[in-house]
Amino acid sequence: MTAKRNYVKDYHKILNLQAGASRSDIQQAYRKLAKLYHPDVSQAPDAHERFCDITEAYEFLVHHAGPQNGGLAANAGRGPQPEVFTTGEAYDRFRKEAREKAHRHAQMTYERFRRHHEAFQESGIEDLMLLITICLRVVSIPLILVLSVAPLLLAFLDRWQDIFIAIIAWPFAFILAWYFRDNRKHYLMPGRFFYTPERIWHMLNDVHPAASPCYYCPSLAANSRPYVLELYKPQGVLYHSSGYRMHQVRYLNKTASLQVPRSRKALLVHTSVTTVRLLALLLSMIFLPLSSLVWRFIGGLAAGALASWLVLAVFRTRSCQSYLVSTSSLIRATLWLLAVILVSRFSIRPVDISTNGYIYLVIVAVIIFDSFVMQLLNLLLGSKGSMPLVTQYPEVMDRFREGFMAYNDIPALSVIYPLFRWITG
């Protein structure tokens, strides 16, 4: 027995397990360490080697010392288990197979990660997050000065009753200043935009041979980039707890990435529609003469919807975001609009709309509880609740009939994501 054990590493130690650990303990330890030392995630120089060791240990403990061999899982809690390799050649063959599997697993996850990252970049969300980060960093520079000077200015104005409150701002100014110091080299440009002018120009002018007609302009050939639509079908909910305040809950989704054939004309029209919506929203927020910012935003959405409908009608092109319009989305939008109306005051002379203090409660309710309303409607209406009211590309309609949805009912995202998709395309 001792000679046989010389062939095998201490696999329990590699996975941080005690002898006699159960199969579920082995799987949980493997998932935890694989996420930590995966070469795509870890920056450690020996990450690849550690990942191979972890995979090798998992393969041995689960498959080569399992209950069918009278090994670990079958004899949990009975102390050290007998090994299954009787020769060094058998063990070497096992190690080679386990490490080849680890290499294949790393390569597959990398390719999957690369495809998801490219899809994430093409969606424009990464550029939006980068733009928001740049705006916040630009604002933080004068904010540092204000927070630093405010206590001194109040003292100079002989407002000593306020100076103690203002002094609380100094730690925040110090934290922002320290963050600026650590990131000063790339503070105003922390990353690169995916959609550069050159890339946008190439996308708009890229034409290739087409084998199918354009769905959005049926009289034209689909000679441009297709419209990519990601749909989700919840399979269940995964809950994991690692102790006090260390809980994770997430959806287990089945995804479907669909490509709708599109012509260059449709691409140009859809790009124009996105520009029109963004301009309408921006101009409404700046120039619409209403006291309430919430109603300026609603007015911008309404103006953008009307302007984009006119553009699509003039150029006889179908919308690429009409799949977002469903029975559920219309009911939810009506419900929340009524909630905003209830906390608003309307004036005819002069024309104005204002809101009272309850508007903040309404906004929080929309962000948090919209997903619960969506779940309730899905329960009452079934798949018809998320089914688009406007006929879509046949393959897209088939997926919706199978139970796929445009987005998940997750708090905040159930409101923000469809708005983002509608505005940006």
Side-chain angles (χ1 to χ4, degrees):
M1 181 68 65
T2 304
K4 294 177 184 177
R5 288 186 181 278
N6 291 336
Y7 297 134
V8 184
K9 293 182 179 180
D10 188 353
Y11 290 123
H12 299 91
K13 185 177 181 180
I14 293 175
L15 295 181
N16 298 327
L17 293 170
Q18 298 293 328
S22 66
R23 188 183 185 92
S24 62
D25 291 336
I26 296 170
Q27 293 172 337
Q28 183 177 356
Y30 172 73
R31 286 193 294 266
K32 180 179 179 181
L33 292 174
K35 290 179 181 178
L36 186 62
Y37 291 104
H38 194 284
D40 294 339
V41 178
S42 176
Q43 300 296 324
D46 61 340
H48 185 80
E49 185 65 25
R50 290 290 300 272
F51 181 74
C52 289
D53 287 340
I54 292 166
T55 304
E56 178 184 330
Y58 172 77
E59 288 292 317
F60 173 79
L61 294 178
V62 170
H63 300 294
H64 291 268
Q68 69 274 18
N69 295 322
L72 177 68
N75 301 286
R78 301 181 185 177
Q81 307 302 320
E83 309 300 341
V84 297
F85 298 111
T86 57
T87 64
E89 291 79 5
Y91 174 59
D92 290 339
R93 184 168 59 253
F94 154 72
R95 285 201 65 198
K96 181 179 179 181
E97 293 174 355
R99 289 182 170 267
E100 287 178 351
K101 185 173 182 178
H103 286 300
R104 291 194 302 270
H105 178 67
Q107 185 63 28
M108 284 190 299
T109 54
Y110 170 75
E111 291 296 329
R112 188 162 56 247
F113 165 79
R114 183 180 60 81
R115 290 195 300 269
H116 280 274
H117 183 65
E118 289 178 352
F120 183 68
Q121 287 181 312
E122 292 180 356
S123 69
I125 298 178
E126 188 174 52
D127 282 358
L128 178 63
M129 294 171 61
L130 178 59
L131 181 62
I132 293 174
T133 301
I134 293 174
C135 293
L136 291 176
R137 291 189 175 190
V138 170
V139 172
S140 69
I141 296 176
L143 184 61
I144 293 172
L145 298 177
V146 172
L147 294 177
S148 302
V149 176
L152 301 176
L153 181 61
L154 291 173
F156 178 77
L157 296 175
D158 198 24
R159 294 179 56 182
W160 295 97
Q161 66 274 17
D162 298 327
I163 191 171
F164 295 104
I165 299 176
I167 288 177
I168 301 176
W170 275 352
F172 296 99
F174 177 77
I175 293 172
L176 289 174
W178 191 273
Y179 182 79
F180 174 79
R181 174 185 173 277
D182 289 345
N183 299 274
R184 60 187 180 277
K185 188 174 181 181
H186 303 288
Y187 188 75
L188 296 180
M189 186 53 68
R192 294 183 178 181
F193 286 100
F194 177 77
Y195 283 106
T196 60
E198 294 79 10
R199 188 186 297 273
I200 294 174
W201 177 261
H202 175 73
M203 289 172 54
L204 295 178
N205 292 275
D206 183 27
V207 177
H208 53 78
S212 59
C214 171
Y215 173 73
Y216 303 103
C217 299
S219 61
L220 300 177
N223 59 354
S224 186
R225 295 169 57 90
Y227 181 76
V228 180
L229 178 59
E230 295 281 347
L231 298 180
Y232 308 88
K233 185 178 182 180
Q235 301 289 298
V237 178
L238 180 64
Y239 171 76
H240 175 70
S241 176
S242 302
Y244 176 65
R245 296 181 64 184
M246 298 180 64
H247 311 294
Q248 294 180 352
V249 179
R250 63 183 178 88
Y251 275 109
L252 295 176
N253 289 319
K254 181 180 180 181
T255 60
S257 181
L258 308 175
Q259 295 187 348
V260 183
R262 181 165 59 172
S263 63
R264 183 168 178 264
K265 174 191 173 183
L267 175 62
L268 293 173
V269 172
H270 292 160
T271 304
S272 302
V273 165
T274 297
T275 305
V276 166
R277 288 173 179 167
L278 288 172
L279 284 176
L281 187 59
L282 180 62
L283 294 175
S284 176
M285 294 296 294
I286 296 175
F287 298 110
L288 194 63
L290 299 177
S291 301
S292 172
L293 291 177
V294 174
W295 279 103
R296 290 186 188 183
F297 182 77
I298 295 174
L301 294 179
L306 178 60
S308 60
W309 178 80
L310 290 174
V311 172
L312 293 170
V314 169
F315 292 98
R316 297 182 180 180
T317 305
R318 292 171 176 168
S319 171
C320 60
Q321 292 98 28
S322 58
Y323 67 92
L324 295 170
V325 182
S326 63
T327 304
S328 174
S329 62
L330 288 181
I331 293 176
R332 286 154 46 217
T334 303
L335 176 65
W336 298 124
L337 182 60
L338 289 174
V340 174
I341 292 175
L342 290 175
V343 296
S344 301
R345 291 186 294 268
F346 299 87
S347 173
I348 299 178
R349 293 183 182 178
V351 176
D352 190 20
I353 306 177
S354 59
T355 53
N356 57 35
Y358 290 104
I359 187 62
Y360 304 106
L361 180 62
V362 171
I363 293 174
V364 172
V366 171
I367 293 175
I368 296 178
F369 295 107
D370 178 73
S371 60
F372 296 100
V373 176
M374 183 177 176
Q375 289 182 6
L376 179 61
L377 292 174
N378 289 337
L379 181 64
L380 296 175
L381 302 176
S383 60
K384 295 181 180 179
S386 58
M387 183 72 67
L389 296 178
V390 180
T391 304
Q392 303 296 309
Y393 187 61
E395 189 176 354
V396 174
M397 293 300 295
D398 291 340
R399 291 293 181 271
F400 273 107
R401 294 188 186 99
E402 294 172 6
F404 282 83
M405 301 187 300
Y407 49 90
N408 285 333
D409 48 352
I410 300 175
L413 289 182
S414 64
V415 175
I416 296 174
Y417 181 78
L419 277 177
F420 173 79
R421 292 295 297 180
W422 180 79
I423 293 173
T424 64

